Amino acid sequence: MASISPTPEPDPRRWRALGIICLVQVMLLLDVTVVNVALPPIQRDLGLTTTGLAWVVNGYTVTYGGLLMLGGRLGDLLGRRRLFLIGLAIFALSSASAAVAQQAGVLVASRFLQGIGAALVSPAALSLVTLLFTRPQERARAMAIWSGLAGVGVALGVVLSGILTDLASWRLIFFINLPIAAFAFLATPKLVSESRAAKRGRPDVLGAVLVTVGLLLVVFGLLEKSNHAWFSFSVLGCVGIGVVLLIGFVLVEARAAQPLVPLAFLRSRNRSIANMVRICYYVGFATFFFSLSLYVQHTLHFSALATGFAFVPFGLVILFSATVMAPRLLTRFGVRTLNGGGLAISTVGYVLLAGLSTHGTYVTDVLPGMILVPLGGGLVLVGSTVAGVDGATGEDAGIATSMNNASMQIGSAIGLAALVSLGSSHATVLQHAGADPMTATARGYAFSFAIAAGVTAFGALLGFAGIRPMAGEGRTVQENAGQRAT
């Protein structure tokens, strides 16, 4: 079928289609964090080690992020709606497998398969949004809704995890995916037309293997830092080989006839910087949910149910920031302010969380960060999404959106592995120096947040200095400034 290019008359089904697509995206992102509160009972039931628990989280995010670019390219070539439906089926089946798993290996393998399904669904979904909304103002609004609900999905994962784990069983956190996937699978063909790129070719499978295996080795090496020395093969060797494979990925992309990421595509300054900004945000984001949920349970002694509700402010704030604040600030000040300013606000939140201690309370030590991190995050998600698809067409929408999503998952996977590992190592050093285990653990969490603050501060500088005004943006900002002056 011929590719569908933007037309002056938008699809009348677009808002209903957006509802279905956003529901699926919420489900995918919910599964990033839904396991965090449930980790203790999962460990008890299946006998997972600490490293195994980390893979329950990262097995999903690594394959999700590593294969997103291949998923986006396959959607461009084979049809975005088709890949969306295939990915949904894989995700639903692997969710069922995770829910009934009786061995640790089955659960971890199921999480890897969930990541594969998500990698097919997510770039196709955002490509469909990009192509359904052809008018700039409507597209900006749709992107704001998409970004806001994405943040809510991540926060909702922690809430649902607490509720289901405390009142029933951790297995329900995977079973809840099945009715959502089934509904979307049946409704999508009625609301979304097929679309694909006009140019055909062979997908870059070698590139996908190199980037995915490279990321897996880097994450594995970083996670092993808590059990081995930096210069051991398990750490430095795996990270080094992973980095070599990632360099090989770049070289392959430069020579491939149909690369996953055409280097010419990366010459867009806004698209490149926007993805770097997203990585910086998500490095801290993954640690935020993993470490803070453990701190609230182990140090503040919240139940699983109370821990889930403790994260409710995050979802409310990021929804308000992305859907109410971001569209207005985007019109008045542009994408540079959203990206740089948003990360600056989140940085303040991480600085406050770096003061966590065993004597802290939820209201004074946790809640300020629970508000500031998502307040800035909503702005970043909208700003980096809009800049990340700047200039995308029907030919390369999948590439733009898959890179946008890949930066999120890659940042989360590497950030979780690196920051949690460094925090654990810091806690071990403190214990050897004579600190009691509870104090050392709390300071380890705080150390992770201090590093997150440094990363997000660097991202804020990138956003302010690197992103340029988009087409027509400068004139709008000047008009608004003139209106305020009069």
Side-chain angles (χ1 to χ4, degrees):
M1 183 181 290
S3 65
I4 297 178
S5 58
T7 59
E9 292 299 326
D11 192 323
R13 304 169 298 174
R14 64 194 181 282
W15 291 109
R16 286 180 292 161
L18 178 66
I20 298 296
I21 294 170
C22 283
L23 177 65
V24 170
Q25 183 70 359
V26 166
M27 176 185 69
L28 299 183
L29 294 178
L30 181 151
D31 268 60
V32 174
T33 57
V34 74
V35 298
N36 284 325
V37 177
L39 290 177
I42 290 176
Q43 186 174 35
R44 287 194 304 268
D45 288 354
L46 302 183
L48 282 155
T49 63
T50 301
T51 301
L53 283 180
W55 279 115
V56 172
V57 179
N58 264 345
Y60 180 68
T61 57
V62 169
T63 50
Y64 190 172
L67 295 174
L68 266 169
M69 289 177 283
L70 178 62
R73 187 59 183 155
L74 288 174
D76 287 341
L77 297 176
L78 304 179
R80 289 142 190 153
R81 188 182 69 179
R82 177 183 296 175
L83 262 292
F84 182 84
L85 296 175
I86 292 173
L88 264 181
I90 294 173
F91 187 85
L93 292 173
S94 55
S95 295
S97 174
V100 299
Q102 299 297 321
Q103 290 84 31
V106 174
L107 176 60
V108 173
S110 298
R111 291 288 283 171
F112 274 91
L113 287 173
Q114 278 188 308
I116 293 173
L120 298 180
V121 172
S122 192
L126 190 50
S127 295
L128 292 172
V129 174
T130 303
L131 298 174
L132 281 168
F133 293 88
T134 58
R135 295 174 179 173
Q137 289 185 339
E138 281 197 345
R139 179 179 289 185
R141 183 182 174 191
M143 290 295 184
I145 294 172
W146 168 277
S147 301
L149 290 178
V152 170
V154 174
L156 183 62
V158 181
V159 177
L160 283 178
S161 181
I163 295 173
L164 297 176
T165 299
D166 196 70
L167 300 181
S169 167
W170 61 265
R171 297 182 184 279
L172 289 182
I173 67 178
F174 299 112
F175 273 128
I176 60 174
N177 294 328
L178 302 183
I180 297 174
F183 173 71
F185 192 89
L186 295 174
T188 297
K190 301 176 182 179
L191 297 175
V192 178
S193 301
E194 184 61 280
S195 65
R196 57 172 61 90
K199 295 180 180 179
R200 302 296 178 86
R202 299 174 64 181
D204 180 16
V205 176
L206 176 60
V209 171
L210 287 173
V211 70
T212 305
V213 176
L215 285 171
L216 284 170
L217 287 174
V218 169
V219 169
F220 179 82
L222 292 173
L223 287 173
E224 286 296 301
K225 172 62 184 71
S226 60
N227 301 317
H228 300 86
W230 273 113
F231 292 100
S232 65
F233 178 79
S234 296
V235 180
L236 188 61
C238 287
V239 172
I241 295 173
V243 170
V244 169
L245 291 178
L246 293 176
I247 294 173
F249 166 72
V250 175
L251 297 177
V252 167
E253 297 309 284
R255 298 172 179 271
Q258 295 288 336
L260 292 178
V261 184
L263 298 186
F265 186 81
L266 293 177
R267 290 173 189 157
S268 167
R269 180 168 175 171
N270 275 8
R271 287 198 290 257
S272 298
I273 297 296
N275 282 284
M276 294 174 67
V277 164
R278 286 175 75 86
I279 288 175
C280 288
Y281 176 72
Y282 277 101
V283 162
F285 183 87
T287 308
F288 179 92
F289 279 93
F290 188 90
S291 296
L292 203 56
S293 63
L294 293 176
Y295 173 80
V296 169
Q297 290 185 83
H298 293 162
T299 304
L300 302 186
H301 305 294
F302 279 31
S303 66
L305 182 63
T307 299
F309 281 107
F311 281 84
V312 168
F314 187 99
L316 296 177
V317 171
I318 201 168
L319 180 63
F320 172 78
S321 177
T323 61
V324 178
M325 290 178 59
R328 296 177 182 178
L329 293 176
L330 179 63
T331 302
R332 292 173 68 89
F333 302 107
V335 291
R336 178 183 296 172
T337 298
L338 260 65
N339 285 284
L343 275 177
I345 294 171
S346 292
T347 298
V348 177
Y350 286 120
V351 169
L352 295 177
L353 290 171
L356 292 178
S357 70
T358 53
H359 304 293
T361 66
Y362 176 77
V363 173
T364 60
D365 293 75
V366 176
L367 188 58
M370 190 74 72
I371 292 174
L372 290 174
V373 171
L375 185 66
L379 304 183
V380 174
L381 293 181
V382 174
S384 61
T385 298
V386 173
V389 299
D390 183 22
T393 66
E395 293 300 312
D396 54 20
I399 299 172
T401 56
S402 61
M403 286 184 61
N404 204 317
N405 283 281
S407 62
M408 174 179 67
Q409 300 302 334
I410 290 171
S412 295
I414 294 178
L416 180 61
L419 271 62
V420 169
S421 181
L422 290 171
S424 299
S425 298
H426 184 69
T428 301
V429 170
L430 292 177
Q431 287 190 58
H432 289 163
D436 66 271
M438 288 293 291
T439 299
T441 300
R443 294 311 303 161
Y445 297 146
F447 185 70
S448 297
F449 290 128
I451 300 173
V455 174
T456 52
F458 173 72
L461 292 177
L462 279 179
F464 278 125
I467 292 182
R468 296 172 176 171
M470 293 167 57
E473 185 178 286
R475 177 174 54 81
T476 302
V477 172
Q478 290 176 359
E479 289 175 354
N480 286 324
Q483 291 173 0
R484 290 195 300 273
T486 55

